[in-house]
Amino acid sequence: MTAQSPLSGTRGPSDGHPLHVAIIMDGNGRWARARGLPRTAGHRKGAESVRAVVEASPGLGITHLTLFGFSSENWKRPQSEISDLMSLLRFYLKSELRNLAKHNVCLRVIGRRDRFSQDVLDLIAEAEHETGQGTGLQLTIALNYGSRLEIVDAVKDIAREVAAGTLDPETIGEADVNRHLTTRDLPDPDVLIRTSGEQRISNFLLWQAAYAELVFSPVLWPDFNGQHLADALADYRTRERRFGGV
C-alpha cells in the first residue's frame, strides 16, 4: 500500500518510483574553477545536464521534475555573471523549445517575474504556451524563486480574502495555503536531490518538501547525468516513508 503524505494535494511513490523529483542544481562554479575556466563555462555545461536529466526522467518513472534554476538571492552575484545567466536562459528557452515539444514535455516557470527583462518574459510565455498541452513529463523551472517569499505572498493573498470577508480565519488550513502557492497544481516532491555534496535546501520548496526524502549527491551538477539520477532514485527506494506514522 502506498504511503500518503499528510499535506494536501500530495501523493506518494508508485511501484518504488518517485512521482515528483526536485533538484537543486549546485556546483557549476566549482566545476569551472577546477578546470581553470570562467564560471560561465560551468553554467553552460550545467545546461547540458538539464537536457540529460529531462530526457532520462520519463524512463525512470518520473512524472514531475522541478529544477532550481535561479534563486531570488542569486541577484546578489556579480552583474557580469547575472548577465551571462540571463543570456544562457535566453539560449536555453530558444534552443530547447522544439526538443521539449517533441518529447511531449510540459514546461512551466515558477517564481517572481518582475525582475526579468521583457524579452525573457516573452520567451518564457512562448515556451509555456508551446508546451502547455504536453502530457508527458511535467517540467517546472524555478527562476527568481525563494520559498519564503512564496509563502509570504500566499499569506498576503489569504489576508486579502479574510479582509474581503470571503474567508473565515478560523477555517484556514493547509489546503488554503497550498492553493496560493505557485506549485498549487503539482504534487509535493517525493525526493529532493542536491548535487555537489552540499547538504542544505537553500530556501527551495520549504512548504512542499516537508516530507520529501533528501538525497545529497557528491557529483557537481555539470557532471550529473541520467545514471546519477538513477543512482539517487535507487537510494530513495531504500527509504521507508512513514509521514510521521509508525
Side-chain angles (χ1 to χ4, degrees), residues 144-178:
N144 191 26
Y145 174 89
S147 191
R148 287 184 173 182
L149 282 176
E150 179 186 33
I151 293 170
V152 167
D153 287 343
V155 170
K156 288 178 179 178
D157 287 341
I158 291 171
R160 293 186 188 100
E161 292 185 359
V162 171
T166 58
L167 180 64
D168 181 353
E170 296 302 320
T171 67
I172 294 173
E174 291 180 0
D176 295 293
V177 177
N178 193 66

mmCIF file of all heavy atoms in Angstrom, residues 144-178:
data_model
loop_
_atom_site.group_PDB
_atom_site.id
_atom_site.type_symbol
_atom_site.label_atom_id
_atom_site.label_comp_id
_atom_site.label_asym_id
_atom_site.label_seq_id
_atom_site.Cartn_x
_atom_site.Cartn_y
_atom_site.Cartn_z
ATOM 1 N N ASN A 144 14.115 33.119 -10.233
ATOM 2 C CA ASN A 144 13.865 34.206 -9.276
ATOM 3 C C ASN A 144 12.885 33.699 -8.208
ATOM 4 O O ASN A 144 11.907 34.359 -7.862
ATOM 5 C CB ASN A 144 13.303 35.447 -9.962
ATOM 6 C CG ASN A 144 13.296 36.659 -9.033
ATOM 7 O OD1 ASN A 144 14.081 36.747 -8.099
ATOM 8 N ND2 ASN A 144 12.386 37.594 -9.284
ATOM 9 N N TYR A 145 13.194 32.512 -7.721
ATOM 10 C CA TYR A 145 12.319 31.838 -6.762
ATOM 11 C C TYR A 145 12.967 31.800 -5.389
ATOM 12 O O TYR A 145 14.157 31.535 -5.251
ATOM 13 C CB TYR A 145 12.032 30.413 -7.223
ATOM 14 C CG TYR A 145 11.257 29.592 -6.211
ATOM 15 C CD1 TYR A 145 9.863 29.595 -6.217
ATOM 16 C CD2 TYR A 145 11.911 28.830 -5.250
ATOM 17 C CE1 TYR A 145 9.147 28.849 -5.282
ATOM 18 C CE2 TYR A 145 11.208 28.081 -4.321
ATOM 19 C CZ TYR A 145 9.828 28.099 -4.333
ATOM 20 O OH TYR A 145 9.129 27.378 -3.404
ATOM 21 N N GLY A 146 12.162 32.054 -4.372
ATOM 22 C CA GLY A 146 12.558 31.874 -2.984
ATOM 23 C C GLY A 146 11.343 31.382 -2.221
ATOM 24 O O GLY A 146 10.263 31.976 -2.319
ATOM 25 N N SER A 147 11.484 30.297 -1.490
ATOM 26 C CA SER A 147 10.328 29.696 -0.849
ATOM 27 C C SER A 147 9.715 30.595 0.218
ATOM 28 O O SER A 147 8.495 30.652 0.375
ATOM 29 C CB SER A 147 10.716 28.349 -0.235
ATOM 30 O OG SER A 147 9.575 27.629 0.166
ATOM 31 N N ARG A 148 10.554 31.312 0.965
ATOM 32 C CA ARG A 148 9.995 32.207 1.980
ATOM 33 C C ARG A 148 9.165 33.305 1.341
ATOM 34 O O ARG A 148 8.083 33.656 1.842
ATOM 35 C CB ARG A 148 11.120 32.805 2.829
ATOM 36 C CG ARG A 148 11.754 31.808 3.791
ATOM 37 C CD ARG A 148 12.788 32.480 4.681
ATOM 38 N NE ARG A 148 13.280 31.575 5.719
ATOM 39 C CZ ARG A 148 14.162 31.931 6.647
ATOM 40 N NH1 ARG A 148 14.667 33.163 6.652
ATOM 41 N NH2 ARG A 148 14.555 31.056 7.563
ATOM 42 N N LEU A 149 9.649 33.855 0.213
ATOM 43 C CA LEU A 149 8.872 34.869 -0.496
ATOM 44 C C LEU A 149 7.551 34.284 -0.988
ATOM 45 O O LEU A 149 6.506 34.943 -0.930
ATOM 46 C CB LEU A 149 9.670 35.407 -1.685
ATOM 47 C CG LEU A 149 10.767 36.427 -1.386
ATOM 48 C CD1 LEU A 149 11.510 36.772 -2.676
ATOM 49 C CD2 LEU A 149 10.194 37.679 -0.746
ATOM 50 N N GLU A 150 7.603 33.057 -1.482
ATOM 51 C CA GLU A 150 6.393 32.406 -1.969
ATOM 52 C C GLU A 150 5.371 32.260 -0.849
ATOM 53 O O GLU A 150 4.176 32.518 -1.037
ATOM 54 C CB GLU A 150 6.750 31.028 -2.532
ATOM 55 C CG GLU A 150 5.547 30.251 -3.057
ATOM 56 C CD GLU A 150 5.913 28.841 -3.470
ATOM 57 O OE1 GLU A 150 6.814 28.246 -2.831
ATOM 58 O OE2 GLU A 150 5.304 28.330 -4.416
ATOM 59 N N ILE A 151 5.832 31.867 0.333
ATOM 60 C CA ILE A 151 4.927 31.701 1.474
ATOM 61 C C ILE A 151 4.385 33.052 1.923
ATOM 62 O O ILE A 151 3.198 33.183 2.258
ATOM 63 C CB ILE A 151 5.644 30.963 2.620
ATOM 64 C CG1 ILE A 151 5.950 29.517 2.196
ATOM 65 C CG2 ILE A 151 4.789 30.967 3.881
ATOM 66 C CD1 ILE A 151 6.852 28.759 3.148
ATOM 67 N N VAL A 152 5.244 34.080 1.925
ATOM 68 C CA VAL A 152 4.786 35.425 2.275
ATOM 69 C C VAL A 152 3.701 35.885 1.310
ATOM 70 O O VAL A 152 2.667 36.440 1.723
ATOM 71 C CB VAL A 152 5.965 36.419 2.277
ATOM 72 C CG1 VAL A 152 5.463 37.864 2.318
ATOM 73 C CG2 VAL A 152 6.885 36.156 3.472
ATOM 74 N N ASP A 153 3.912 35.655 0.024
ATOM 75 C CA ASP A 153 2.898 36.035 -0.972
ATOM 76 C C ASP A 153 1.587 35.285 -0.726
ATOM 77 O O ASP A 153 0.495 35.859 -0.870
ATOM 78 C CB ASP A 153 3.410 35.742 -2.379
ATOM 79 C CG ASP A 153 4.487 36.713 -2.831
ATOM 80 O OD1 ASP A 153 4.613 37.791 -2.202
ATOM 81 O OD2 ASP A 153 5.208 36.402 -3.797
ATOM 82 N N ALA A 154 1.674 34.011 -0.358
ATOM 83 C CA ALA A 154 0.471 33.232 -0.068
ATOM 84 C C ALA A 154 -0.260 33.801 1.144
ATOM 85 O O ALA A 154 -1.497 33.906 1.149
ATOM 86 C CB ALA A 154 0.836 31.770 0.169
ATOM 87 N N VAL A 155 0.500 34.176 2.176
ATOM 88 C CA VAL A 155 -0.106 34.759 3.375
ATOM 89 C C VAL A 155 -0.820 36.067 3.031
ATOM 90 O O VAL A 155 -1.927 36.340 3.516
ATOM 91 C CB VAL A 155 0.960 34.985 4.455
ATOM 92 C CG1 VAL A 155 0.396 35.804 5.620
ATOM 93 C CG2 VAL A 155 1.500 33.653 4.976
ATOM 94 N N LYS A 156 -0.216 36.883 2.174
ATOM 95 C CA LYS A 156 -0.844 38.139 1.768
ATOM 96 C C LYS A 156 -2.158 37.881 1.038
ATOM 97 O O LYS A 156 -3.165 38.568 1.276
ATOM 98 C CB LYS A 156 0.103 38.936 0.867
ATOM 99 C CG LYS A 156 1.301 39.541 1.597
ATOM 100 C CD LYS A 156 2.201 40.280 0.608
ATOM 101 C CE LYS A 156 3.382 40.907 1.316
ATOM 102 N NZ LYS A 156 4.305 41.592 0.361
ATOM 103 N N ASP A 157 -2.143 36.880 0.133
ATOM 104 C CA ASP A 157 -3.367 36.548 -0.593
ATOM 105 C C ASP A 157 -4.466 36.089 0.361
ATOM 106 O O ASP A 157 -5.639 36.471 0.217
ATOM 107 C CB ASP A 157 -3.083 35.445 -1.615
ATOM 108 C CG ASP A 157 -2.283 35.938 -2.811
ATOM 109 O OD1 ASP A 157 -2.258 37.163 -3.025
ATOM 110 O OD2 ASP A 157 -1.699 35.098 -3.515
ATOM 111 N N ILE A 158 -4.101 35.284 1.330
ATOM 112 C CA ILE A 158 -5.073 34.807 2.316
ATOM 113 C C ILE A 158 -5.603 35.972 3.148
ATOM 114 O O ILE A 158 -6.808 36.062 3.433
ATOM 115 C CB ILE A 158 -4.443 33.725 3.216
ATOM 116 C CG1 ILE A 158 -4.182 32.452 2.391
ATOM 117 C CG2 ILE A 158 -5.339 33.414 4.414
ATOM 118 C CD1 ILE A 158 -3.365 31.407 3.119
ATOM 119 N N ALA A 159 -4.714 36.887 3.531
ATOM 120 C CA ALA A 159 -5.125 38.051 4.313
ATOM 121 C C ALA A 159 -6.123 38.905 3.537
ATOM 122 O O ALA A 159 -7.089 39.434 4.116
ATOM 123 C CB ALA A 159 -3.905 38.887 4.699
ATOM 124 N N ARG A 160 -5.917 39.021 2.223
ATOM 125 C CA ARG A 160 -6.859 39.783 1.401
ATOM 126 C C ARG A 160 -8.228 39.104 1.389
ATOM 127 O O ARG A 160 -9.259 39.781 1.408
ATOM 128 C CB ARG A 160 -6.316 39.924 -0.021
ATOM 129 C CG ARG A 160 -5.057 40.785 -0.137
ATOM 130 C CD ARG A 160 -4.663 41.002 -1.591
ATOM 131 N NE ARG A 160 -3.372 41.665 -1.691
ATOM 132 C CZ ARG A 160 -2.226 41.033 -1.943
ATOM 133 N NH1 ARG A 160 -2.254 39.729 -2.170
ATOM 134 N NH2 ARG A 160 -1.088 41.691 -1.990
ATOM 135 N N GLU A 161 -8.251 37.789 1.317
ATOM 136 C CA GLU A 161 -9.523 37.072 1.328
ATOM 137 C C GLU A 161 -10.241 37.261 2.661
ATOM 138 O O GLU A 161 -11.466 37.428 2.698
ATOM 139 C CB GLU A 161 -9.293 35.586 1.046
ATOM 140 C CG GLU A 161 -8.833 35.289 -0.370
ATOM 141 C CD GLU A 161 -8.733 33.796 -0.635
ATOM 142 O OE1 GLU A 161 -8.998 32.998 0.287
ATOM 143 O OE2 GLU A 161 -8.381 33.424 -1.766
ATOM 144 N N VAL A 162 -9.480 37.230 3.740
ATOM 145 C CA VAL A 162 -10.075 37.450 5.063
ATOM 146 C C VAL A 162 -10.638 38.866 5.152
ATOM 147 O O VAL A 162 -11.766 39.086 5.617
ATOM 148 C CB VAL A 162 -9.038 37.202 6.175
ATOM 149 C CG1 VAL A 162 -9.592 37.644 7.537
ATOM 150 C CG2 VAL A 162 -8.639 35.728 6.220
ATOM 151 N N ALA A 163 -9.845 39.841 4.673
ATOM 152 C CA ALA A 163 -10.284 41.237 4.719
ATOM 153 C C ALA A 163 -11.528 41.454 3.872
ATOM 154 O O ALA A 163 -12.390 42.280 4.209
ATOM 155 C CB ALA A 163 -9.153 42.157 4.254
ATOM 156 N N ALA A 164 -11.626 40.723 2.764
ATOM 157 C CA ALA A 164 -12.779 40.866 1.877
ATOM 158 C C ALA A 164 -13.999 40.105 2.390
ATOM 159 O O ALA A 164 -15.090 40.227 1.827
ATOM 160 C CB ALA A 164 -12.420 40.375 0.479
ATOM 161 N N GLY A 165 -13.816 39.344 3.452
ATOM 162 C CA GLY A 165 -14.925 38.592 4.020
ATOM 163 C C GLY A 165 -15.249 37.311 3.292
ATOM 164 O O GLY A 165 -16.305 36.706 3.522
ATOM 165 N N THR A 166 -14.355 36.856 2.395
ATOM 166 C CA THR A 166 -14.618 35.629 1.634
ATOM 167 C C THR A 166 -13.973 34.400 2.275
ATOM 168 O O THR A 166 -14.160 33.279 1.793
ATOM 169 C CB THR A 166 -14.098 35.769 0.193
ATOM 170 O OG1 THR A 166 -12.683 36.049 0.225
ATOM 171 C CG2 THR A 166 -14.827 36.902 -0.530
ATOM 172 N N LEU A 167 -13.229 34.618 3.362
ATOM 173 C CA LEU A 167 -12.580 33.502 4.036
ATOM 174 C C LEU A 167 -12.625 33.734 5.541
ATOM 175 O O LEU A 167 -12.224 34.798 6.025
ATOM 176 C CB LEU A 167 -11.121 33.360 3.571
ATOM 177 C CG LEU A 167 -10.305 32.230 4.199
ATOM 178 C CD1 LEU A 167 -10.896 30.866 3.835
ATOM 179 C CD2 LEU A 167 -8.846 32.304 3.748
ATOM 180 N N ASP A 168 -13.115 32.745 6.260
ATOM 181 C CA ASP A 168 -13.172 32.802 7.714
ATOM 182 C C ASP A 168 -11.805 32.401 8.261
ATOM 183 O O ASP A 168 -11.335 31.291 7.997
ATOM 184 C CB ASP A 168 -14.240 31.835 8.223
ATOM 185 C CG ASP A 168 -14.374 31.843 9.748
ATOM 186 O OD1 ASP A 168 -13.558 32.495 10.429
ATOM 187 O OD2 ASP A 168 -15.297 31.181 10.258
ATOM 188 N N PRO A 169 -11.131 33.285 9.007
ATOM 189 C CA PRO A 169 -9.795 32.951 9.510
ATOM 190 C C PRO A 169 -9.764 31.697 10.369
ATOM 191 O O PRO A 169 -8.736 31.018 10.442
ATOM 192 C CB PRO A 169 -9.386 34.197 10.306
ATOM 193 C CG PRO A 169 -10.647 34.909 10.608
ATOM 194 C CD PRO A 169 -11.548 34.626 9.459
ATOM 195 N N GLU A 170 -10.882 31.383 11.006
ATOM 196 C CA GLU A 170 -10.921 30.195 11.863
ATOM 197 C C GLU A 170 -10.907 28.892 11.063
ATOM 198 O O GLU A 170 -10.635 27.822 11.617
ATOM 199 C CB GLU A 170 -12.173 30.230 12.755
ATOM 200 C CG GLU A 170 -12.200 31.391 13.736
ATOM 201 C CD GLU A 170 -10.995 31.386 14.668
ATOM 202 O OE1 GLU A 170 -10.606 30.281 15.108
ATOM 203 O OE2 GLU A 170 -10.442 32.466 14.929
ATOM 204 N N THR A 171 -11.189 28.990 9.778
ATOM 205 C CA THR A 171 -11.236 27.777 8.954
ATOM 206 C C THR A 171 -9.974 27.589 8.121
ATOM 207 O O THR A 171 -9.873 26.611 7.376
ATOM 208 C CB THR A 171 -12.449 27.817 8.006
ATOM 209 O OG1 THR A 171 -12.259 28.868 7.030
ATOM 210 C CG2 THR A 171 -13.732 28.054 8.776
ATOM 211 N N ILE A 172 -9.027 28.503 8.217
ATOM 212 C CA ILE A 172 -7.814 28.425 7.391
ATOM 213 C C ILE A 172 -7.028 27.161 7.736
ATOM 214 O O ILE A 172 -6.764 26.864 8.901
ATOM 215 C CB ILE A 172 -6.929 29.661 7.600
ATOM 216 C CG1 ILE A 172 -7.643 30.913 7.086
ATOM 217 C CG2 ILE A 172 -5.586 29.493 6.879
ATOM 218 C CD1 ILE A 172 -6.916 32.205 7.401
ATOM 219 N N GLY A 173 -6.700 26.413 6.703
ATOM 220 C CA GLY A 173 -5.929 25.188 6.892
ATOM 221 C C GLY A 173 -4.830 25.065 5.850
ATOM 222 O O GLY A 173 -4.592 25.988 5.059
ATOM 223 N N GLU A 174 -4.169 23.919 5.837
ATOM 224 C CA GLU A 174 -3.071 23.703 4.904
ATOM 225 C C GLU A 174 -3.519 23.855 3.451
ATOM 226 O O GLU A 174 -2.778 24.359 2.609
ATOM 227 C CB GLU A 174 -2.462 22.320 5.119
ATOM 228 C CG GLU A 174 -1.722 22.186 6.439
ATOM 229 C CD GLU A 174 -1.121 20.801 6.622
ATOM 230 O OE1 GLU A 174 -1.278 19.950 5.717
ATOM 231 O OE2 GLU A 174 -0.506 20.567 7.679
ATOM 232 N N ALA A 175 -4.730 23.410 3.163
ATOM 233 C CA ALA A 175 -5.222 23.493 1.786
ATOM 234 C C ALA A 175 -5.321 24.941 1.317
ATOM 235 O O ALA A 175 -5.095 25.236 0.138
ATOM 236 C CB ALA A 175 -6.576 22.803 1.661
ATOM 237 N N ASP A 176 -5.644 25.856 2.232
ATOM 238 C CA ASP A 176 -5.749 27.272 1.855
ATOM 239 C C ASP A 176 -4.382 27.839 1.513
ATOM 240 O O ASP A 176 -4.245 28.629 0.575
ATOM 241 C CB ASP A 176 -6.382 28.069 3.004
ATOM 242 C CG ASP A 176 -7.813 27.657 3.268
ATOM 243 O OD1 ASP A 176 -8.663 27.897 2.396
ATOM 244 O OD2 ASP A 176 -8.069 27.075 4.343
ATOM 245 N N VAL A 177 -3.370 27.444 2.279
ATOM 246 C CA VAL A 177 -2.011 27.887 1.958
ATOM 247 C C VAL A 177 -1.578 27.287 0.629
ATOM 248 O O VAL A 177 -1.063 27.979 -0.254
ATOM 249 C CB VAL A 177 -1.022 27.485 3.067
ATOM 250 C CG1 VAL A 177 0.407 27.887 2.684
ATOM 251 C CG2 VAL A 177 -1.408 28.128 4.397
ATOM 252 N N ASN A 178 -1.826 25.994 0.470
ATOM 253 C CA ASN A 178 -1.378 25.288 -0.724
ATOM 254 C C ASN A 178 -1.953 25.890 -2.006
ATOM 255 O O ASN A 178 -1.261 25.989 -3.017
ATOM 256 C CB ASN A 178 -1.757 23.808 -0.623
ATOM 257 C CG ASN A 178 -1.073 22.956 -1.664
ATOM 258 O OD1 ASN A 178 0.135 22.795 -1.648
ATOM 259 N ND2 ASN A 178 -1.853 22.417 -2.592
#
